[in-house]
């Protein structure tokens, strides 16, 4: 029963943030959405902020669980972006974008929400990083890409696009198209012959050197 009550509160918190916004989210409104006594918010979580933090992690874990199998099957950057488009559509339709927007906004004024919101995003970033490391491993650019940094850039891009679509849907779709064009460019590089690939690596190595980055000669 205790576990059931916690789950009801977590789901009630997410539903309340989605439907009423962070400003109107309180122990009373969450308890009403969960169908439990208001005192149980404090019994199980100590405070509304702690409940919201736990709900953020819970929501991310629940959504990610449905995509891990698909992420494990991704073999190319194009496939990753295609899955990202599907995720983008489902997240918006399910109201999850609204939750994320509210939590990000709330974290600006309620610092205790920031670590939990970041932790929820990190769950996605870690999965994206695994895919990118696998997808880029044998490509001409593998020695020149900071995979952890690129993972965060992609995650931040999708978060931004999910929020941006609310004010400019066509612009958001154009941005997704641009990301797919970059994946197409990588495909072209992979199709180059050995001589051309060495030339690309040499050019990238010189560029990286000008930025002060050391790249192993053998890569």
């Amino acid at each position: 029963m205790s576990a059931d009550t916690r789950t009801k509160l977590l789901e009630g918190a997410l539903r309340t943030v989605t439907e009423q916004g962070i400003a109107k989210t309180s122990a009373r409104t969450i308890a009403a959405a969960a169908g439990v006594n208001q005192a149980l918010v404090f019994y199980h979580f100590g405070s509304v902020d702690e409940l919201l933090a736990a709900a953020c992690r819970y929501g991310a874990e629940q959504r990610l669980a449905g995509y891990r199998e698909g992420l494990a099957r991704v073999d190319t950057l194009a496939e990753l972006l295609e899955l990202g488009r599907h995720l983008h559509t489902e997240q918006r339709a399910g109201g999850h974008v609204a939750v994320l927007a509210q939590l990000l906004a709330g974290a600006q004024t309620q610092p205790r929400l920031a670590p939990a919101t970041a932790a929820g995003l990190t769950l996605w970033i870690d999965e994206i990083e695994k895919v990118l490391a696998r997808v880029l491993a044998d490509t001409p650019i593998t020695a020149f890409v900071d995979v952890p940094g690129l993972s965060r850039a992609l995650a931040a891009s999708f978060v931004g696009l999910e929020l941006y679509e609310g004010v400019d849907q066509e612009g958001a779709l154009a941005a997704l198209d641009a990301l797919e064009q970059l994946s197409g460019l990588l495909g072209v590089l992979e199709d180059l012959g050995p001589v051309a690939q060495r030339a690309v690596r040499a050019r990238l190595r010189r560029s990286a050197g000008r930025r002060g980055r050391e790249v192993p000669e053998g890569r």
Side-chain angles (χ1 to χ4, degrees), residues 87-143:
L87 186 153
H88 171 80
T89 301
E90 284 199 346
Q91 294 298 295
R92 177 163 290 281
H96 305 307
V97 174
V99 173
L100 180 60
Q102 290 292 328
L103 289 171
L104 286 169
Q108 307 304 309
T109 56
Q110 300 178 57
R112 292 206 321 190
L113 287 179
T117 305
L121 290 171
T122 297
L123 290 174
W124 286 100
I125 290 169
D126 288 346
E127 292 298 321
I128 294 171
E129 185 174 335
K130 293 175 189 175
V131 175
L132 285 176
R134 182 175 71 250
V135 166
L136 298 177
D138 298 321
T139 68
I141 67 169
T142 183

CSV table of all heavy atoms in Angstrom, one decimal, residues 87-143:
chain,number,residue,atom,x,y,z
A,87,LEU,N,10.3,10.1,-30.7
A,87,LEU,CA,10.2,10.4,-29.3
A,87,LEU,C,9.6,11.8,-29.1
A,87,LEU,O,8.8,12.1,-28.3
A,87,LEU,CB,11.6,10.3,-28.7
A,87,LEU,CG,11.8,10.5,-27.2
A,87,LEU,CD1,13.1,9.7,-26.8
A,87,LEU,CD2,12.0,12.0,-26.9
A,88,HIS,N,10.1,12.7,-30.0
A,88,HIS,CA,9.7,14.1,-29.9
A,88,HIS,C,8.1,14.2,-30.1
A,88,HIS,O,7.5,14.9,-29.3
A,88,HIS,CB,10.4,14.9,-31.1
A,88,HIS,CG,9.9,16.3,-31.3
A,88,HIS,ND1,10.2,17.4,-30.5
A,88,HIS,CD2,9.0,16.8,-32.2
A,88,HIS,CE1,9.6,18.4,-30.9
A,88,HIS,NE2,8.9,18.1,-32.0
A,89,THR,N,7.6,13.5,-31.0
A,89,THR,CA,6.2,13.5,-31.3
A,89,THR,C,5.4,12.9,-30.1
A,89,THR,O,4.4,13.5,-29.7
A,89,THR,CB,5.8,12.7,-32.6
A,89,THR,OG1,6.5,13.3,-33.7
A,89,THR,CG2,4.3,12.7,-32.8
A,90,GLU,N,5.9,11.8,-29.6
A,90,GLU,CA,5.2,11.1,-28.5
A,90,GLU,C,5.3,11.9,-27.2
A,90,GLU,O,4.3,12.0,-26.5
A,90,GLU,CB,5.8,9.7,-28.2
A,90,GLU,CG,5.4,8.7,-29.3
A,90,GLU,CD,5.6,7.3,-28.8
A,90,GLU,OE1,6.3,7.1,-27.7
A,90,GLU,OE2,5.0,6.4,-29.4
A,91,GLN,N,6.4,12.6,-27.0
A,91,GLN,CA,6.6,13.3,-25.7
A,91,GLN,C,5.6,14.5,-25.7
A,91,GLN,O,5.0,14.9,-24.7
A,91,GLN,CB,8.0,13.8,-25.6
A,91,GLN,CG,9.0,12.7,-25.4
A,91,GLN,CD,8.8,11.9,-24.1
A,91,GLN,OE1,8.9,12.5,-23.0
A,91,GLN,NE2,8.4,10.7,-24.3
A,92,ARG,N,5.5,15.2,-26.9
A,92,ARG,CA,4.6,16.3,-26.9
A,92,ARG,C,3.1,15.9,-26.8
A,92,ARG,O,2.4,16.5,-26.1
A,92,ARG,CB,4.8,17.1,-28.2
A,92,ARG,CG,3.9,18.3,-28.4
A,92,ARG,CD,4.3,19.2,-29.4
A,92,ARG,NE,5.5,20.0,-29.0
A,92,ARG,CZ,5.5,21.0,-28.2
A,92,ARG,NH1,4.4,21.4,-27.7
A,92,ARG,NH2,6.6,21.6,-27.8
A,93,ALA,N,2.8,14.8,-27.5
A,93,ALA,CA,1.4,14.3,-27.4
A,93,ALA,C,1.0,13.9,-26.0
A,93,ALA,O,-0.1,14.0,-25.6
A,93,ALA,CB,1.2,13.2,-28.4
A,94,GLY,N,2.0,13.3,-25.3
A,94,GLY,CA,1.7,12.8,-24.0
A,94,GLY,C,1.8,13.9,-22.9
A,94,GLY,O,1.6,13.6,-21.7
A,95,GLY,N,2.1,15.1,-23.3
A,95,GLY,CA,2.1,16.2,-22.3
A,95,GLY,C,3.5,16.3,-21.5
A,95,GLY,O,3.6,17.1,-20.6
A,96,HIS,N,4.4,15.4,-21.9
A,96,HIS,CA,5.7,15.4,-21.2
A,96,HIS,C,6.5,16.7,-21.4
A,96,HIS,O,7.3,17.1,-20.6
A,96,HIS,CB,6.5,14.2,-21.5
A,96,HIS,CG,5.7,12.9,-21.3
A,96,HIS,ND1,5.1,12.6,-20.1
A,96,HIS,CD2,5.5,11.9,-22.2
A,96,HIS,CE1,4.5,11.4,-20.3
A,96,HIS,NE2,4.7,11.0,-21.5
A,97,VAL,N,6.4,17.3,-22.6
A,97,VAL,CA,7.1,18.5,-22.8
A,97,VAL,C,6.6,19.6,-21.9
A,97,VAL,O,7.4,20.4,-21.4
A,97,VAL,CB,6.8,19.0,-24.3
A,97,VAL,CG1,7.5,20.3,-24.6
A,97,VAL,CG2,7.4,17.9,-25.3
A,98,ALA,N,5.3,19.6,-21.6
A,98,ALA,CA,4.8,20.6,-20.7
A,98,ALA,C,5.4,20.5,-19.3
A,98,ALA,O,5.7,21.4,-18.6
A,98,ALA,CB,3.3,20.5,-20.6
A,99,VAL,N,5.5,19.2,-18.9
A,99,VAL,CA,6.1,18.9,-17.6
A,99,VAL,C,7.6,19.4,-17.5
A,99,VAL,O,8.0,20.1,-16.6
A,99,VAL,CB,6.1,17.4,-17.2
A,99,VAL,CG1,6.9,17.1,-16.0
A,99,VAL,CG2,4.7,16.9,-17.1
A,100,LEU,N,8.3,19.1,-18.6
A,100,LEU,CA,9.7,19.5,-18.6
A,100,LEU,C,9.9,21.0,-18.6
A,100,LEU,O,10.7,21.6,-17.9
A,100,LEU,CB,10.4,18.9,-19.9
A,100,LEU,CG,11.8,19.3,-20.1
A,100,LEU,CD1,12.7,18.8,-19.0
A,100,LEU,CD2,12.3,18.7,-21.4
A,101,ALA,N,9.0,21.7,-19.4
A,101,ALA,CA,9.1,23.2,-19.4
A,101,ALA,C,8.8,23.8,-18.1
A,101,ALA,O,9.5,24.7,-17.6
A,101,ALA,CB,8.0,23.7,-20.5
A,102,GLN,N,7.8,23.2,-17.4
A,102,GLN,CA,7.5,23.7,-16.0
A,102,GLN,C,8.6,23.5,-15.0
A,102,GLN,O,8.9,24.3,-14.2
A,102,GLN,CB,6.1,23.1,-15.6
A,102,GLN,CG,4.9,23.5,-16.3
A,102,GLN,CD,4.6,25.0,-16.1
A,102,GLN,OE1,4.8,25.5,-15.0
A,102,GLN,NE2,4.0,25.6,-17.1
A,103,LEU,N,9.2,22.3,-15.1
A,103,LEU,CA,10.3,22.0,-14.2
A,103,LEU,C,11.5,22.8,-14.4
A,103,LEU,O,12.2,23.3,-13.5
A,103,LEU,CB,10.6,20.5,-14.2
A,103,LEU,CG,9.5,19.6,-13.6
A,103,LEU,CD1,9.9,18.1,-14.0
A,103,LEU,CD2,9.4,19.7,-12.1
A,104,LEU,N,11.8,23.0,-15.7
A,104,LEU,CA,12.9,23.9,-16.0
A,104,LEU,C,12.7,25.3,-15.6
A,104,LEU,O,13.6,26.0,-15.0
A,104,LEU,CB,13.2,23.9,-17.5
A,104,LEU,CG,13.8,22.6,-18.1
A,104,LEU,CD1,13.8,22.6,-19.6
A,104,LEU,CD2,15.2,22.4,-17.6
A,105,ALA,N,11.5,25.8,-15.7
A,105,ALA,CA,11.1,27.1,-15.3
A,105,ALA,C,11.2,27.2,-13.7
A,105,ALA,O,11.7,28.1,-13.2
A,105,ALA,CB,9.7,27.5,-15.8
A,106,GLY,N,10.6,26.2,-13.1
A,106,GLY,CA,10.7,26.1,-11.6
A,106,GLY,C,12.0,26.1,-11.0
A,106,GLY,O,12.3,26.7,-10.0
A,107,ALA,N,13.0,25.4,-11.7
A,107,ALA,CA,14.3,25.3,-11.2
A,107,ALA,C,15.1,26.6,-11.2
A,107,ALA,O,16.1,26.7,-10.5
A,107,ALA,CB,15.1,24.3,-12.1
A,108,GLN,N,14.6,27.6,-12.0
A,108,GLN,CA,15.3,28.9,-12.0
A,108,GLN,C,15.1,29.6,-10.7
A,108,GLN,O,15.9,30.4,-10.3
A,108,GLN,CB,14.7,29.7,-13.2
A,108,GLN,CG,14.8,29.1,-14.5
A,108,GLN,CD,16.2,28.6,-14.9
A,108,GLN,OE1,17.1,29.4,-14.8
A,108,GLN,NE2,16.3,27.4,-15.3
A,109,THR,N,13.9,29.4,-10.0
A,109,THR,CA,13.6,30.1,-8.8
A,109,THR,C,13.6,29.2,-7.6
A,109,THR,O,13.6,29.6,-6.4
A,109,THR,CB,12.2,30.8,-8.9
A,109,THR,OG1,11.2,29.8,-9.3
A,109,THR,CG2,12.3,31.8,-10.0
A,110,GLN,N,13.6,27.8,-7.8
A,110,GLN,CA,13.6,26.9,-6.7
A,110,GLN,C,14.8,26.0,-6.9
A,110,GLN,O,14.7,24.9,-7.6
A,110,GLN,CB,12.3,26.1,-6.7
A,110,GLN,CG,11.1,26.9,-6.5
A,110,GLN,CD,9.8,26.1,-6.5
A,110,GLN,OE1,9.6,25.1,-5.8
A,110,GLN,NE2,8.9,26.4,-7.5
A,111,PRO,N,16.0,26.4,-6.4
A,111,PRO,CA,17.2,25.7,-6.7
A,111,PRO,C,17.2,24.2,-6.3
A,111,PRO,O,17.9,23.4,-7.0
A,111,PRO,CB,18.2,26.4,-5.8
A,111,PRO,CG,17.7,27.8,-5.6
A,111,PRO,CD,16.2,27.6,-5.6
A,112,ARG,N,16.3,23.8,-5.4
A,112,ARG,CA,16.3,22.4,-5.0
A,112,ARG,C,15.7,21.5,-6.2
A,112,ARG,O,16.0,20.3,-6.2
A,112,ARG,CB,15.5,22.1,-3.8
A,112,ARG,CG,16.1,22.7,-2.5
A,112,ARG,CD,15.8,22.1,-1.3
A,112,ARG,NE,14.4,21.7,-1.1
A,112,ARG,CZ,13.9,21.2,0.0
A,112,ARG,NH1,14.6,21.2,1.1
A,112,ARG,NH2,12.6,20.9,0.1
A,113,LEU,N,15.0,22.1,-7.1
A,113,LEU,CA,14.5,21.4,-8.2
A,113,LEU,C,15.6,21.2,-9.3
A,113,LEU,O,15.5,20.2,-10.1
A,113,LEU,CB,13.3,22.1,-8.9
A,113,LEU,CG,12.0,22.1,-8.1
A,113,LEU,CD1,11.0,22.9,-8.9
A,113,LEU,CD2,11.5,20.7,-7.9
A,114,ALA,N,16.6,22.0,-9.3
A,114,ALA,CA,17.6,21.9,-10.4
A,114,ALA,C,18.3,20.6,-10.5
A,114,ALA,O,18.4,20.0,-11.6
A,114,ALA,CB,18.6,23.1,-10.3
A,115,PRO,N,18.9,20.1,-9.4
A,115,PRO,CA,19.6,18.8,-9.5
A,115,PRO,C,18.7,17.7,-9.9
A,115,PRO,O,19.2,16.8,-10.7
A,115,PRO,CB,20.1,18.6,-8.0
A,115,PRO,CG,20.1,19.9,-7.4
A,115,PRO,CD,19.0,20.6,-8.0
A,116,ALA,N,17.5,17.6,-9.5
A,116,ALA,CA,16.6,16.5,-9.9
A,116,ALA,C,16.2,16.7,-11.4
A,116,ALA,O,16.1,15.7,-12.1
A,116,ALA,CB,15.3,16.5,-9.0
A,117,THR,N,16.0,17.9,-11.8
A,117,THR,CA,15.6,18.1,-13.2
A,117,THR,C,16.8,17.7,-14.1
A,117,THR,O,16.7,17.0,-15.1
A,117,THR,CB,15.3,19.6,-13.5
A,117,THR,OG1,14.2,20.0,-12.6
A,117,THR,CG2,14.8,19.8,-15.0
A,118,ALA,N,18.0,18.1,-13.7
A,118,ALA,CA,19.3,17.7,-14.4
A,118,ALA,C,19.4,16.2,-14.4
A,118,ALA,O,19.9,15.6,-15.4
A,118,ALA,CB,20.5,18.4,-13.8
A,119,ALA,N,19.1,15.6,-13.2
A,119,ALA,CA,19.3,14.1,-13.1
A,119,ALA,C,18.3,13.4,-14.1
A,119,ALA,O,18.7,12.4,-14.7
A,119,ALA,CB,19.0,13.7,-11.7
A,120,GLY,N,17.1,13.9,-14.2
A,120,GLY,CA,16.2,13.3,-15.2
A,120,GLY,C,16.7,13.4,-16.6
A,120,GLY,O,16.6,12.5,-17.4
A,121,LEU,N,17.3,14.6,-16.9
A,121,LEU,CA,17.8,14.7,-18.3
A,121,LEU,C,19.1,13.8,-18.5
A,121,LEU,O,19.3,13.3,-19.6
A,121,LEU,CB,18.2,16.2,-18.5
A,121,LEU,CG,17.1,17.2,-18.6
A,121,LEU,CD1,17.5,18.6,-18.6
A,121,LEU,CD2,16.3,16.9,-19.9
A,122,THR,N,19.9,13.7,-17.4
A,122,THR,CA,21.1,12.9,-17.5
A,122,THR,C,20.8,11.4,-17.8
A,122,THR,O,21.5,10.7,-18.5
A,122,THR,CB,21.9,12.9,-16.2
A,122,THR,OG1,22.3,14.3,-16.0
A,122,THR,CG2,23.1,12.1,-16.2
A,123,LEU,N,19.6,10.9,-17.4
A,123,LEU,CA,19.2,9.5,-17.7
A,123,LEU,C,19.2,9.4,-19.3
A,123,LEU,O,19.6,8.4,-19.8
A,123,LEU,CB,17.9,9.2,-17.1
A,123,LEU,CG,17.8,9.0,-15.6
A,123,LEU,CD1,16.4,8.9,-15.1
A,123,LEU,CD2,18.6,7.9,-15.2
A,124,TRP,N,18.6,10.4,-19.9
A,124,TRP,CA,18.5,10.4,-21.4
A,124,TRP,C,19.9,10.6,-22.0
A,124,TRP,O,20.3,9.9,-23.0
A,124,TRP,CB,17.6,11.5,-21.9
A,124,TRP,CG,16.2,11.2,-21.7
A,124,TRP,CD1,15.4,11.6,-20.7
A,124,TRP,CD2,15.3,10.3,-22.5
A,124,TRP,NE1,14.1,11.1,-20.8
A,124,TRP,CE2,14.1,10.3,-21.9
A,124,TRP,CE3,15.6,9.5,-23.6
A,124,TRP,CZ2,13.0,9.6,-22.4
A,124,TRP,CZ3,14.5,8.8,-24.1
A,124,TRP,CH2,13.3,8.8,-23.6
A,125,ILE,N,20.7,11.5,-21.4
A,125,ILE,CA,22.0,11.8,-22.0
A,125,ILE,C,22.9,10.5,-21.9
A,125,ILE,O,23.7,10.2,-22.9
A,125,ILE,CB,22.7,12.9,-21.2
A,125,ILE,CG1,21.9,14.2,-21.5
A,125,ILE,CG2,24.2,13.1,-21.6
A,125,ILE,CD1,22.3,15.4,-20.6
A,126,ASP,N,22.9,9.8,-20.8
A,126,ASP,CA,23.7,8.6,-20.7
A,126,ASP,C,23.3,7.6,-21.8
A,126,ASP,O,24.2,6.9,-22.4
A,126,ASP,CB,23.5,8.0,-19.3
A,126,ASP,CG,24.1,8.8,-18.2
A,126,ASP,OD1,24.9,9.7,-18.5
A,126,ASP,OD2,23.8,8.5,-17.0
A,127,GLU,N,22.1,7.4,-22.1
A,127,GLU,CA,21.7,6.5,-23.1
A,127,GLU,C,22.1,7.0,-24.5
A,127,GLU,O,22.6,6.2,-25.4
A,127,GLU,CB,20.1,6.3,-23.1
A,127,GLU,CG,19.6,5.6,-21.9
A,127,GLU,CD,20.2,4.2,-21.8
A,127,GLU,OE1,20.3,3.5,-22.8
A,127,GLU,OE2,20.5,3.7,-20.6
A,128,ILE,N,22.0,8.3,-24.8
A,128,ILE,CA,22.4,8.8,-26.1
A,128,ILE,C,23.9,8.7,-26.2
A,128,ILE,O,24.4,8.4,-27.3
A,128,ILE,CB,22.0,10.3,-26.1
A,128,ILE,CG1,20.5,10.5,-26.2
A,128,ILE,CG2,22.6,11.0,-27.4
A,128,ILE,CD1,20.0,11.9,-26.1
A,129,GLU,N,24.6,8.9,-25.1
A,129,GLU,CA,26.1,8.7,-25.2
A,129,GLU,C,26.5,7.3,-25.6
A,129,GLU,O,27.4,7.1,-26.4
A,129,GLU,CB,26.7,9.1,-23.8
A,129,GLU,CG,28.2,9.1,-23.8
A,129,GLU,CD,28.8,9.6,-22.5
A,129,GLU,OE1,28.1,10.4,-21.8
A,129,GLU,OE2,29.9,9.3,-22.2
A,130,LYS,N,25.8,6.3,-25.1
A,130,LYS,CA,26.1,4.9,-25.4
A,130,LYS,C,25.9,4.7,-26.9
A,130,LYS,O,26.7,4.1,-27.6
A,130,LYS,CB,25.3,4.0,-24.6
A,130,LYS,CG,25.5,3.9,-23.1
A,130,LYS,CD,24.5,3.0,-22.5
A,130,LYS,CE,24.6,3.1,-21.0
A,130,LYS,NZ,23.5,2.3,-20.3
A,131,VAL,N,24.8,5.2,-27.4
A,131,VAL,CA,24.5,5.1,-28.9
A,131,VAL,C,25.5,5.8,-29.7
A,131,VAL,O,26.1,5.2,-30.7
A,131,VAL,CB,23.1,5.6,-29.2
A,131,VAL,CG1,22.8,5.5,-30.7
A,131,VAL,CG2,22.0,4.8,-28.4
A,132,LEU,N,25.9,7.0,-29.4
A,132,LEU,CA,26.8,7.8,-30.2
A,132,LEU,C,28.2,7.1,-30.2
A,132,LEU,O,28.9,7.1,-31.2
A,132,LEU,CB,26.9,9.2,-29.7
A,132,LEU,CG,25.8,10.1,-30.0
A,132,LEU,CD1,26.0,11.5,-29.3
A,132,LEU,CD2,25.6,10.3,-31.5
A,133,ALA,N,28.6,6.6,-29.0
A,133,ALA,CA,29.9,5.9,-29.0
A,133,ALA,C,30.0,4.7,-29.9
A,133,ALA,O,31.0,4.5,-30.6
A,133,ALA,CB,30.2,5.5,-27.5
A,134,ARG,N,28.9,4.0,-30.0
A,134,ARG,CA,28.8,2.9,-30.8
A,134,ARG,C,28.7,3.3,-32.3
A,134,ARG,O,29.4,2.7,-33.2
A,134,ARG,CB,27.5,2.0,-30.4
A,134,ARG,CG,27.4,0.8,-31.3
A,134,ARG,CD,26.2,-0.1,-30.7
A,134,ARG,NE,24.9,0.5,-31.0
A,134,ARG,CZ,24.1,1.0,-30.1
A,134,ARG,NH1,24.5,1.0,-28.8
A,134,ARG,NH2,22.9,1.4,-30.5
A,135,VAL,N,27.8,4.3,-32.6
A,135,VAL,CA,27.6,4.7,-34.0
A,135,VAL,C,28.8,5.3,-34.6
A,135,VAL,O,29.1,5.1,-35.8
A,135,VAL,CB,26.4,5.6,-34.0
A,135,VAL,CG1,26.3,6.3,-35.4
A,135,VAL,CG2,25.1,4.9,-33.7
A,136,LEU,N,29.5,6.1,-33.9
A,136,LEU,CA,30.7,6.9,-34.4
A,136,LEU,C,32.0,6.1,-34.3
A,136,LEU,O,33.0,6.6,-34.9
A,136,LEU,CB,30.8,8.2,-33.6
A,136,LEU,CG,29.6,9.2,-33.7
A,136,LEU,CD1,29.9,10.4,-32.9
A,136,LEU,CD2,29.3,9.5,-35.2
A,137,ALA,N,32.0,4.9,-33.7
A,137,ALA,CA,33.3,4.2,-33.4
A,137,ALA,C,34.1,4.0,-34.7
A,137,ALA,O,35.3,4.2,-34.6
A,137,ALA,CB,32.9,2.9,-32.8
A,138,ASP,N,33.6,3.7,-35.8
A,138,ASP,CA,34.3,3.3,-37.0
A,138,ASP,C,34.2,4.4,-38.1
A,138,ASP,O,34.5,4.1,-39.3
A,138,ASP,CB,33.9,2.0,-37.5
A,138,ASP,CG,34.2,0.8,-36.5
A,138,ASP,OD1,35.2,0.9,-35.9
A,138,ASP,OD2,33.3,-0.1,-36.4
A,139,THR,N,33.9,5.6,-37.7
A,139,THR,CA,33.7,6.6,-38.7
A,139,THR,C,35.0,7.5,-38.8
A,139,THR,O,35.8,7.5,-37.9
A,139,THR,CB,32.5,7.6,-38.4
A,139,THR,OG1,32.8,8.3,-37.2
A,139,THR,CG2,31.3,6.7,-38.1
A,140,PRO,N,35.1,8.2,-39.9
A,140,PRO,CA,36.3,9.1,-40.0
A,140,PRO,C,36.5,10.2,-39.0
A,140,PRO,O,37.5,10.7,-38.8
A,140,PRO,CB,36.1,9.7,-41.4
A,140,PRO,CG,35.2,8.8,-42.2
A,140,PRO,CD,34.3,8.3,-41.1
A,141,ILE,N,35.4,10.5,-38.3
A,141,ILE,CA,35.4,11.6,-37.4
A,141,ILE,C,35.5,11.2,-35.9
A,141,ILE,O,35.5,12.0,-35.0
A,141,ILE,CB,34.2,12.6,-37.5
A,141,ILE,CG1,32.9,11.8,-37.1
A,141,ILE,CG2,34.1,13.1,-38.9
A,141,ILE,CD1,31.7,12.7,-37.0
A,142,THR,N,35.6,9.9,-35.7
A,142,THR,CA,35.6,9.4,-34.3
A,142,THR,C,36.7,10.0,-33.4
A,142,THR,O,36.4,10.2,-32.2
A,142,THR,CB,35.7,7.8,-34.3
A,142,THR,OG1,35.6,7.4,-32.9
A,142,THR,CG2,37.1,7.4,-34.9
A,143,ALA,N,37.9,10.3,-34.0
A,143,ALA,CA,38.9,10.9,-33.1
A,143,ALA,C,38.7,12.3,-32.8
A,143,ALA,O,39.5,12.9,-32.0
A,143,ALA,CB,40.3,10.7,-33.8
